[in-house]
Amino acid sequence: MYKLLAMFSGMTVAIMILSNGLLVEGIGDTPALLFIHITGLIGALLLFYSKNGNWTTLKGIPFFYLLGGVTGVASVYFTNLAFLSIGATVTLMLSLVGRIVTSTVIDHYGLMGMKKYPFVPLKLLGLALITMGALFLIIF
């Protein structure tokens, strides 16, 4: 089930890149960024309160655990700018390459307290195929 949810997440990211990019074309990059995150905040609050969320659960959480929102703003901003110049497909593919390389490093070293998932040389083949796929999308 979680693998299906991960695939669904990828589908929603593709739709998000398209709708965010079109919004940027319509109203500009920083107004779009603000609108995107205000509507995201509203959606997150609705989900939070529908699940009986409790703010005290943040007590004792390490500060760097809370940086996901900041990196999310940066990610959306960079994606919005890239979309306008290189389109949705290449933007998403290069974004995936960046995510996979970064997550491979995080997994291997167990950064930020994560469980370690050691890098095995066979994974180089997968990374090479993904990188080649990205190059094909860029070139053709």
Side-chain angles (χ1 to χ4, degrees), residues 73-99:
V73 169
S75 175
V76 169
Y77 185 68
F78 298 152
T79 301
N80 289 349
L81 295 177
F83 171 85
L84 295 175
S85 297
I86 60 177
T89 303
V90 175
T91 298
L92 185 55
M93 187 61 181
L94 292 174
S95 171
L96 288 175
V97 170
R99 290 172 192 217

PDB file of all heavy atoms in Angstrom, residues 73-99:
ATOM      1  N   VAL A  73       9.387  25.403   0.578  1.00  0.00           N
ATOM      2  CA  VAL A  73       9.233  26.693  -0.102  1.00  0.00           C
ATOM      3  C   VAL A  73      10.324  26.841  -1.163  1.00  0.00           C
ATOM      4  O   VAL A  73      10.051  27.229  -2.306  1.00  0.00           O
ATOM      5  CB  VAL A  73       9.277  27.868   0.896  1.00  0.00           C
ATOM      6  CG1 VAL A  73       9.389  29.208   0.184  1.00  0.00           C
ATOM      7  CG2 VAL A  73       8.031  27.846   1.785  1.00  0.00           C
ATOM      8  N   ALA A  74      11.558  26.515  -0.801  1.00  0.00           N
ATOM      9  CA  ALA A  74      12.667  26.613  -1.761  1.00  0.00           C
ATOM     10  C   ALA A  74      12.437  25.679  -2.942  1.00  0.00           C
ATOM     11  O   ALA A  74      12.621  26.066  -4.104  1.00  0.00           O
ATOM     12  CB  ALA A  74      13.997  26.297  -1.076  1.00  0.00           C
ATOM     13  N   SER A  75      12.015  24.466  -2.666  1.00  0.00           N
ATOM     14  CA  SER A  75      11.775  23.490  -3.727  1.00  0.00           C
ATOM     15  C   SER A  75      10.695  23.958  -4.693  1.00  0.00           C
ATOM     16  O   SER A  75      10.858  23.889  -5.915  1.00  0.00           O
ATOM     17  CB  SER A  75      11.382  22.146  -3.109  1.00  0.00           C
ATOM     18  OG  SER A  75      11.027  21.223  -4.103  1.00  0.00           O
ATOM     19  N   VAL A  76       9.588  24.448  -4.155  1.00  0.00           N
ATOM     20  CA  VAL A  76       8.503  24.932  -5.012  1.00  0.00           C
ATOM     21  C   VAL A  76       8.962  26.140  -5.824  1.00  0.00           C
ATOM     22  O   VAL A  76       8.682  26.234  -7.023  1.00  0.00           O
ATOM     23  CB  VAL A  76       7.243  25.271  -4.169  1.00  0.00           C
ATOM     24  CG1 VAL A  76       6.211  26.014  -4.992  1.00  0.00           C
ATOM     25  CG2 VAL A  76       6.636  23.987  -3.597  1.00  0.00           C
ATOM     26  N   TYR A  77       9.701  27.043  -5.190  1.00  0.00           N
ATOM     27  CA  TYR A  77      10.183  28.237  -5.894  1.00  0.00           C
ATOM     28  C   TYR A  77      11.108  27.854  -7.049  1.00  0.00           C
ATOM     29  O   TYR A  77      10.945  28.315  -8.178  1.00  0.00           O
ATOM     30  CB  TYR A  77      10.883  29.173  -4.915  1.00  0.00           C
ATOM     31  CG  TYR A  77      11.302  30.487  -5.527  1.00  0.00           C
ATOM     32  CD1 TYR A  77      10.345  31.417  -5.941  1.00  0.00           C
ATOM     33  CD2 TYR A  77      12.633  30.816  -5.686  1.00  0.00           C
ATOM     34  CE1 TYR A  77      10.709  32.632  -6.498  1.00  0.00           C
ATOM     35  CE2 TYR A  77      13.008  32.030  -6.240  1.00  0.00           C
ATOM     36  CZ  TYR A  77      12.044  32.929  -6.644  1.00  0.00           C
ATOM     37  OH  TYR A  77      12.416  34.130  -7.198  1.00  0.00           O
ATOM     38  N   PHE A  78      12.084  26.995  -6.773  1.00  0.00           N
ATOM     39  CA  PHE A  78      13.021  26.571  -7.822  1.00  0.00           C
ATOM     40  C   PHE A  78      12.293  25.835  -8.941  1.00  0.00           C
ATOM     41  O   PHE A  78      12.582  26.022 -10.119  1.00  0.00           O
ATOM     42  CB  PHE A  78      14.119  25.680  -7.246  1.00  0.00           C
ATOM     43  CG  PHE A  78      14.980  26.348  -6.211  1.00  0.00           C
ATOM     44  CD1 PHE A  78      15.594  25.599  -5.223  1.00  0.00           C
ATOM     45  CD2 PHE A  78      15.189  27.726  -6.204  1.00  0.00           C
ATOM     46  CE1 PHE A  78      16.396  26.193  -4.262  1.00  0.00           C
ATOM     47  CE2 PHE A  78      15.985  28.345  -5.251  1.00  0.00           C
ATOM     48  CZ  PHE A  78      16.590  27.572  -4.275  1.00  0.00           C
ATOM     49  N   THR A  79      11.345  24.985  -8.573  1.00  0.00           N
ATOM     50  CA  THR A  79      10.579  24.231  -9.563  1.00  0.00           C
ATOM     51  C   THR A  79       9.752  25.165 -10.429  1.00  0.00           C
ATOM     52  O   THR A  79       9.682  24.993 -11.650  1.00  0.00           O
ATOM     53  CB  THR A  79       9.675  23.189  -8.865  1.00  0.00           C
ATOM     54  OG1 THR A  79      10.491  22.306  -8.101  1.00  0.00           O
ATOM     55  CG2 THR A  79       8.866  22.390  -9.859  1.00  0.00           C
ATOM     56  N   ASN A  80       9.122  26.152  -9.807  1.00  0.00           N
ATOM     57  CA  ASN A  80       8.324  27.115 -10.565  1.00  0.00           C
ATOM     58  C   ASN A  80       9.172  27.844 -11.599  1.00  0.00           C
ATOM     59  O   ASN A  80       8.751  28.038 -12.741  1.00  0.00           O
ATOM     60  CB  ASN A  80       7.675  28.146  -9.632  1.00  0.00           C
ATOM     61  CG  ASN A  80       6.557  27.567  -8.800  1.00  0.00           C
ATOM     62  OD1 ASN A  80       6.095  26.452  -9.029  1.00  0.00           O
ATOM     63  ND2 ASN A  80       6.137  28.311  -7.807  1.00  0.00           N
ATOM     64  N   LEU A  81      10.360  28.277 -11.200  1.00  0.00           N
ATOM     65  CA  LEU A  81      11.243  28.992 -12.124  1.00  0.00           C
ATOM     66  C   LEU A  81      11.721  28.077 -13.251  1.00  0.00           C
ATOM     67  O   LEU A  81      11.763  28.481 -14.412  1.00  0.00           O
ATOM     68  CB  LEU A  81      12.434  29.581 -11.375  1.00  0.00           C
ATOM     69  CG  LEU A  81      12.107  30.669 -10.351  1.00  0.00           C
ATOM     70  CD1 LEU A  81      13.371  31.115  -9.629  1.00  0.00           C
ATOM     71  CD2 LEU A  81      11.407  31.849 -11.000  1.00  0.00           C
ATOM     72  N   ALA A  82      12.074  26.843 -12.915  1.00  0.00           N
ATOM     73  CA  ALA A  82      12.563  25.904 -13.925  1.00  0.00           C
ATOM     74  C   ALA A  82      11.462  25.551 -14.924  1.00  0.00           C
ATOM     75  O   ALA A  82      11.712  25.471 -16.131  1.00  0.00           O
ATOM     76  CB  ALA A  82      13.091  24.639 -13.259  1.00  0.00           C
ATOM     77  N   PHE A  83      10.245  25.365 -14.434  1.00  0.00           N
ATOM     78  CA  PHE A  83       9.117  24.998 -15.292  1.00  0.00           C
ATOM     79  C   PHE A  83       8.950  25.973 -16.447  1.00  0.00           C
ATOM     80  O   PHE A  83       8.700  25.577 -17.581  1.00  0.00           O
ATOM     81  CB  PHE A  83       7.827  24.935 -14.463  1.00  0.00           C
ATOM     82  CG  PHE A  83       6.583  24.788 -15.283  1.00  0.00           C
ATOM     83  CD1 PHE A  83       6.152  23.540 -15.688  1.00  0.00           C
ATOM     84  CD2 PHE A  83       5.831  25.899 -15.657  1.00  0.00           C
ATOM     85  CE1 PHE A  83       4.999  23.392 -16.447  1.00  0.00           C
ATOM     86  CE2 PHE A  83       4.682  25.769 -16.413  1.00  0.00           C
ATOM     87  CZ  PHE A  83       4.263  24.508 -16.810  1.00  0.00           C
ATOM     88  N   LEU A  84       9.108  27.241 -16.161  1.00  0.00           N
ATOM     89  CA  LEU A  84       8.910  28.259 -17.190  1.00  0.00           C
ATOM     90  C   LEU A  84       9.944  28.158 -18.309  1.00  0.00           C
ATOM     91  O   LEU A  84       9.654  28.531 -19.447  1.00  0.00           O
ATOM     92  CB  LEU A  84       8.959  29.654 -16.568  1.00  0.00           C
ATOM     93  CG  LEU A  84       7.831  29.975 -15.589  1.00  0.00           C
ATOM     94  CD1 LEU A  84       8.063  31.335 -14.947  1.00  0.00           C
ATOM     95  CD2 LEU A  84       6.476  29.923 -16.265  1.00  0.00           C
ATOM     96  N   SER A  85      11.128  27.669 -17.992  1.00  0.00           N
ATOM     97  CA  SER A  85      12.202  27.616 -18.994  1.00  0.00           C
ATOM     98  C   SER A  85      12.363  26.259 -19.656  1.00  0.00           C
ATOM     99  O   SER A  85      12.709  26.180 -20.828  1.00  0.00           O
ATOM    100  CB  SER A  85      13.534  27.986 -18.342  1.00  0.00           C
ATOM    101  OG  SER A  85      13.487  29.301 -17.877  1.00  0.00           O
ATOM    102  N   ILE A  86      12.133  25.181 -18.910  1.00  0.00           N
ATOM    103  CA  ILE A  86      12.432  23.853 -19.462  1.00  0.00           C
ATOM    104  C   ILE A  86      11.236  22.906 -19.502  1.00  0.00           C
ATOM    105  O   ILE A  86      11.374  21.771 -19.951  1.00  0.00           O
ATOM    106  CB  ILE A  86      13.618  23.193 -18.726  1.00  0.00           C
ATOM    107  CG1 ILE A  86      13.320  23.009 -17.236  1.00  0.00           C
ATOM    108  CG2 ILE A  86      14.888  24.001 -18.930  1.00  0.00           C
ATOM    109  CD1 ILE A  86      14.420  22.294 -16.456  1.00  0.00           C
ATOM    110  N   GLY A  87      10.075  23.356 -19.035  1.00  0.00           N
ATOM    111  CA  GLY A  87       8.873  22.528 -19.106  1.00  0.00           C
ATOM    112  C   GLY A  87       8.740  21.556 -17.946  1.00  0.00           C
ATOM    113  O   GLY A  87       9.646  21.389 -17.142  1.00  0.00           O
ATOM    114  N   ALA A  88       7.587  20.910 -17.893  1.00  0.00           N
ATOM    115  CA  ALA A  88       7.248  20.032 -16.768  1.00  0.00           C
ATOM    116  C   ALA A  88       8.074  18.749 -16.750  1.00  0.00           C
ATOM    117  O   ALA A  88       8.557  18.334 -15.698  1.00  0.00           O
ATOM    118  CB  ALA A  88       5.765  19.700 -16.797  1.00  0.00           C
ATOM    119  N   THR A  89       8.244  18.100 -17.908  1.00  0.00           N
ATOM    120  CA  THR A  89       8.908  16.794 -17.939  1.00  0.00           C
ATOM    121  C   THR A  89      10.354  16.880 -17.494  1.00  0.00           C
ATOM    122  O   THR A  89      10.792  16.138 -16.610  1.00  0.00           O
ATOM    123  CB  THR A  89       8.838  16.183 -19.352  1.00  0.00           C
ATOM    124  OG1 THR A  89       7.469  16.080 -19.740  1.00  0.00           O
ATOM    125  CG2 THR A  89       9.467  14.815 -19.395  1.00  0.00           C
ATOM    126  N   VAL A  90      11.116  17.801 -18.079  1.00  0.00           N
ATOM    127  CA  VAL A  90      12.533  17.916 -17.724  1.00  0.00           C
ATOM    128  C   VAL A  90      12.684  18.432 -16.291  1.00  0.00           C
ATOM    129  O   VAL A  90      13.545  17.955 -15.543  1.00  0.00           O
ATOM    130  CB  VAL A  90      13.287  18.809 -18.735  1.00  0.00           C
ATOM    131  CG1 VAL A  90      14.732  19.023 -18.308  1.00  0.00           C
ATOM    132  CG2 VAL A  90      13.245  18.172 -20.122  1.00  0.00           C
ATOM    133  N   THR A  91      11.824  19.351 -15.881  1.00  0.00           N
ATOM    134  CA  THR A  91      11.866  19.841 -14.503  1.00  0.00           C
ATOM    135  C   THR A  91      11.661  18.697 -13.527  1.00  0.00           C
ATOM    136  O   THR A  91      12.418  18.539 -12.562  1.00  0.00           O
ATOM    137  CB  THR A  91      10.793  20.925 -14.266  1.00  0.00           C
ATOM    138  OG1 THR A  91      11.057  22.032 -15.118  1.00  0.00           O
ATOM    139  CG2 THR A  91      10.770  21.384 -12.814  1.00  0.00           C
ATOM    140  N   LEU A  92      10.640  17.883 -13.768  1.00  0.00           N
ATOM    141  CA  LEU A  92      10.350  16.777 -12.868  1.00  0.00           C
ATOM    142  C   LEU A  92      11.464  15.743 -12.893  1.00  0.00           C
ATOM    143  O   LEU A  92      11.877  15.237 -11.843  1.00  0.00           O
ATOM    144  CB  LEU A  92       9.011  16.131 -13.224  1.00  0.00           C
ATOM    145  CG  LEU A  92       8.522  15.040 -12.284  1.00  0.00           C
ATOM    146  CD1 LEU A  92       8.467  15.533 -10.852  1.00  0.00           C
ATOM    147  CD2 LEU A  92       7.149  14.550 -12.712  1.00  0.00           C
ATOM    148  N   MET A  93      11.995  15.434 -14.054  1.00  0.00           N
ATOM    149  CA  MET A  93      13.056  14.427 -14.151  1.00  0.00           C
ATOM    150  C   MET A  93      14.313  14.881 -13.413  1.00  0.00           C
ATOM    151  O   MET A  93      14.902  14.105 -12.658  1.00  0.00           O
ATOM    152  CB  MET A  93      13.371  14.134 -15.621  1.00  0.00           C
ATOM    153  CG  MET A  93      14.330  12.995 -15.801  1.00  0.00           C
ATOM    154  SD  MET A  93      13.610  11.495 -15.120  1.00  0.00           S
ATOM    155  CE  MET A  93      14.899  10.339 -15.428  1.00  0.00           C
ATOM    156  N   LEU A  94      14.737  16.119 -13.641  1.00  0.00           N
ATOM    157  CA  LEU A  94      15.927  16.605 -12.950  1.00  0.00           C
ATOM    158  C   LEU A  94      15.693  16.716 -11.446  1.00  0.00           C
ATOM    159  O   LEU A  94      16.595  16.455 -10.638  1.00  0.00           O
ATOM    160  CB  LEU A  94      16.377  17.939 -13.537  1.00  0.00           C
ATOM    161  CG  LEU A  94      16.923  17.853 -14.966  1.00  0.00           C
ATOM    162  CD1 LEU A  94      17.211  19.242 -15.521  1.00  0.00           C
ATOM    163  CD2 LEU A  94      18.162  16.981 -15.024  1.00  0.00           C
ATOM    164  N   SER A  95      14.471  17.073 -11.067  1.00  0.00           N
ATOM    165  CA  SER A  95      14.110  17.108  -9.661  1.00  0.00           C
ATOM    166  C   SER A  95      14.223  15.710  -9.048  1.00  0.00           C
ATOM    167  O   SER A  95      14.747  15.549  -7.938  1.00  0.00           O
ATOM    168  CB  SER A  95      12.688  17.647  -9.501  1.00  0.00           C
ATOM    169  OG  SER A  95      12.234  17.503  -8.189  1.00  0.00           O
ATOM    170  N   LEU A  96      13.769  14.716  -9.772  1.00  0.00           N
ATOM    171  CA  LEU A  96      13.864  13.334  -9.283  1.00  0.00           C
ATOM    172  C   LEU A  96      15.314  12.894  -9.146  1.00  0.00           C
ATOM    173  O   LEU A  96      15.676  12.230  -8.173  1.00  0.00           O
ATOM    174  CB  LEU A  96      13.112  12.381 -10.210  1.00  0.00           C
ATOM    175  CG  LEU A  96      11.595  12.477 -10.155  1.00  0.00           C
ATOM    176  CD1 LEU A  96      10.958  11.581 -11.213  1.00  0.00           C
ATOM    177  CD2 LEU A  96      11.074  12.099  -8.785  1.00  0.00           C
ATOM    178  N   VAL A  97      16.154  13.243 -10.118  1.00  0.00           N
ATOM    179  CA  VAL A  97      17.574  12.893 -10.022  1.00  0.00           C
ATOM    180  C   VAL A  97      18.171  13.521  -8.757  1.00  0.00           C
ATOM    181  O   VAL A  97      18.863  12.846  -7.986  1.00  0.00           O
ATOM    182  CB  VAL A  97      18.354  13.332 -11.286  1.00  0.00           C
ATOM    183  CG1 VAL A  97      19.855  13.200 -11.080  1.00  0.00           C
ATOM    184  CG2 VAL A  97      17.915  12.516 -12.501  1.00  0.00           C
ATOM    185  N   GLY A  98      17.891  14.794  -8.535  1.00  0.00           N
ATOM    186  CA  GLY A  98      18.384  15.460  -7.332  1.00  0.00           C
ATOM    187  C   GLY A  98      17.875  14.811  -6.057  1.00  0.00           C
ATOM    188  O   GLY A  98      18.619  14.617  -5.090  1.00  0.00           O
ATOM    189  N   ARG A  99      16.606  14.441  -6.041  1.00  0.00           N
ATOM    190  CA  ARG A  99      16.015  13.809  -4.861  1.00  0.00           C
ATOM    191  C   ARG A  99      16.630  12.440  -4.610  1.00  0.00           C
ATOM    192  O   ARG A  99      16.902  12.072  -3.463  1.00  0.00           O
ATOM    193  CB  ARG A  99      14.505  13.666  -5.033  1.00  0.00           C
ATOM    194  CG  ARG A  99      13.767  14.971  -4.986  1.00  0.00           C
ATOM    195  CD  ARG A  99      12.321  14.804  -5.357  1.00  0.00           C
ATOM    196  NE  ARG A  99      11.715  16.097  -5.587  1.00  0.00           N
ATOM    197  CZ  ARG A  99      10.478  16.395  -5.253  1.00  0.00           C
ATOM    198  NH1 ARG A  99       9.696  15.498  -4.720  1.00  0.00           N
ATOM    199  NH2 ARG A  99      10.010  17.601  -5.490  1.00  0.00           N
TER     200      ARG A  99
END
